[in-house]
Amino acid sequence: GITPYTMYQIWWAAEQLGIDREFGIELELVDVAQTINGIQLMIRGDLDITAGTPAEHLPIVNQAPQVKNFSTVGFFKGFIFVGRKGEIRPFDELVAEYGLERAKEIRLNEFRGKSFAIIPQRKPLIADALAQVGIGIDEVQLLNFADDQKAATAFLSGTGDFYIGSLPQERRLLSMEDRFVNAGGSEVLGPAGLWYDTMLSTPAFMENRREAALRTLALWYRLVEIWDRHPEILAPIAAESLSRLTGGDFSVEEYITLQTVYDDFLSVAEVLSGFYNPLSELYWKYPVDYYIGQAIEAGDLPDSIRGDEYFIQSEELFYELLTRPDLLQKIFAPISAETYLSRLQQQSR
């Protein structure tokens, strides 16, 4: 299941360039509008893996305990509050006048009493940001929509004071410089701004089809290796699929910018030193426990919920992958840019 966000689009390149078959598997990718749709299809047995994030996965674990984390994808840094020009000053103007910390305080206090066009999963981001200046989530109005594109379209037509959501929709709005401004990004977010992109699965795939799960995970890290060295191989297909899924028009260059400036694919080495390293401040347990704590405090989850029940499986899968020299050799094999670019040219004919 592939949602309309930048980081998941290189899966399409794996399918169309035949990189999946190098790992002895064959991908069948399906468009899903948002994480919850993919989860529903997965529970029904129509998907083995689907895109997600801890902030979107954890609030529903009480209703779908079989959904587990499959892997991390990257670290997202692209949340931006989009405001209306003439109604709110651009955040960089505030910073230039007052300095970062004072500008942050001013901006967050300006959010009191305002309305936000969002999907429900963005609530923790807003609540966490407001809490930094003592504002409760009940002091703002959350206008919930079925998916990010619908929220952005409603905002575009005049609904809400602010929009925060998917990076493609944020960039689409901010390209209309005569109408919208950047009202603040990661600089104003609280701890909930530590946002990992992930893939989700179930024991039916991760345990019962262990070899396929390991090969799929290895394929992902091969894609990251290719991206880090030759993004021009994957970006054309990724940009095309992102445009198709979002209704935008993203060039190859813009896709590369979005996926390097505002997001960061995590390699095997980076995951080993961070997401799956208990000694690192980037260890999955910290953001997961934070989101669980928020959900418990809001009454959305019982206090018996523990993150290990949903994330330890992916950690075990990752470390098992590290014991497979055959798959590691495929991940780190020399990259023939000429071969892949030739396939890309054939694909575009």
Side-chain angles (χ1 to χ4, degrees):
I2 307 299
T3 50
Y5 305 118
T6 56
M7 68 291 301
Y8 301 112
Q9 304 314 311
I10 63 172
W11 283 111
W12 289 103
E15 181 191 58
Q16 295 180 35
L17 296 178
I19 305 172
D20 54 349
R21 293 188 289 278
E22 296 175 8
F23 287 79
I25 58 177
E26 191 166 343
L27 296 178
E28 295 181 19
L29 303 181
V30 176
D31 296 339
V32 293
Q34 59 176 325
T35 298
I36 189 62
N37 302 124
I39 289 174
Q40 290 167 344
L41 289 170
M42 192 167 63
I43 292 173
R44 204 167 67 191
D46 295 333
L47 297 176
D48 296 312
I49 304 173
T50 193
T53 68
E56 296 172 321
H57 169 205
L58 293 168
I60 57 90
V61 295
N62 218 28
Q63 293 77 37
Q66 68 271 52
V67 177
K68 314 294 182 183
N69 193 63
F70 177 78
S71 71
T72 184
V73 170
F75 177 43
F76 183 63
K77 302 169 285 188
F79 284 118
I80 299 169
F81 288 100
V82 180
R84 301 187 184 281
K85 187 173 184 178
E87 297 180 12
I88 195 83
R89 292 177 66 186
F91 187 67
D92 59 358
E93 287 187 9
L94 285 184
V95 173
E97 184 172 348
Y98 296 104
L100 179 58
E101 288 307 311
R102 178 60 180 148
K104 174 180 175 180
E105 181 182 0
I106 292 171
R107 178 49 35 90
L108 291 173
N109 276 292
E110 288 176 330
F111 286 164
R112 180 182 274 111
K114 301 298 184 181
S115 58
F116 298 79
I118 60 169
I119 60 173
Q121 294 90 337
R122 308 296 179 224
K123 178 181 175 180
L125 286 174
I126 298 172
D128 204 42
L130 296 174
Q132 297 175 97
V133 291
I135 300 175
I137 193 64
D138 57 344
E139 296 182 70
V140 300
Q141 184 181 10
L142 303 181
L143 308 174
N144 291 317
F145 292 86
D147 58 59
D148 276 307
Q149 187 169 359
K150 288 183 175 64
T153 300
F155 182 72
L156 185 61
S157 66
T159 300
D161 298 306
F162 297 97
Y163 168 82
I164 184 170
S166 76
L167 182 57
Q169 300 301 333
E170 291 169 351
R171 302 307 295 174
R172 180 167 71 99
L173 293 168
L174 290 173
S175 70
M176 306 176 197
E177 297 180 358
D178 59 329
R179 298 183 61 186
F180 304 110
V181 299
N182 182 335
S186 58
E187 312 93 335
V188 302
L189 294 172
L194 178 57
W195 187 281
Y196 282 110
D197 316 311
T198 62
M199 301 299 292
L200 308 175
S201 189
T202 67
F205 182 70
M206 295 179 71
E207 296 175 11
N208 300 344
R209 299 175 60 196
R210 192 68 167 184
E211 184 64 19
L214 285 164
R215 288 177 178 274
T216 304
L217 185 61
L219 166 61
W220 173 256
Y221 288 118
R222 177 60 171 176
L223 292 175
V224 175
E225 288 297 310
I226 294 172
W227 175 267
D228 284 346
R229 289 163 175 74
H230 295 283
E232 72 277 5
I233 294 172
L234 306 179
I237 293 174
E240 181 181 357
S241 63
L242 184 66
S243 299
R244 174 177 57 81
L245 290 171
T246 63
D249 184 17
F250 294 94
S251 67
V252 172
E253 294 74 18
E254 186 174 12
Y255 180 83
I256 292 174
T257 298
L258 294 177
Q259 196 49 50
T260 52
V261 175
Y262 298 102
D263 209 323
D264 182 22
F265 288 130
L266 298 179
S267 66
V268 169
E270 290 168 325
V271 171
L272 185 61
S273 65
F275 192 78
Y276 290 130
N277 179 6
L279 300 180
S280 170
E281 62 182 11
L282 300 177
Y283 187 44
W284 63 262
K285 188 173 179 59
Y286 299 118
V288 165
D289 285 352
Y290 182 82
Y291 282 116
I292 288 177
Q294 281 198 322
I296 290 173
E297 186 176 339
D300 297 330
L301 288 177
D303 58 13
S304 60
I305 294 293
R306 296 292 179 269
D308 283 18
E309 299 176 46
Y310 308 99
F311 276 76
I312 198 65
Q313 299 86 354
S314 63
E315 183 173 329
E316 292 170 349
L317 186 73
F318 173 77
Y319 280 105
E320 185 175 340
L321 174 62
L322 298 187
T323 70
R324 290 287 299 270
D326 58 326
L327 296 179
L328 293 176
Q329 185 176 21
K330 290 179 179 293
I331 293 172
F332 298 111
I335 297 168
S336 173
E338 294 78 12
T339 297
Y340 288 125
L341 290 172
S342 175
R343 293 182 193 174
L344 180 62
Q345 291 173 352
Q346 292 174 5
Q347 181 69 29
S348 62
R349 288 174 185 166

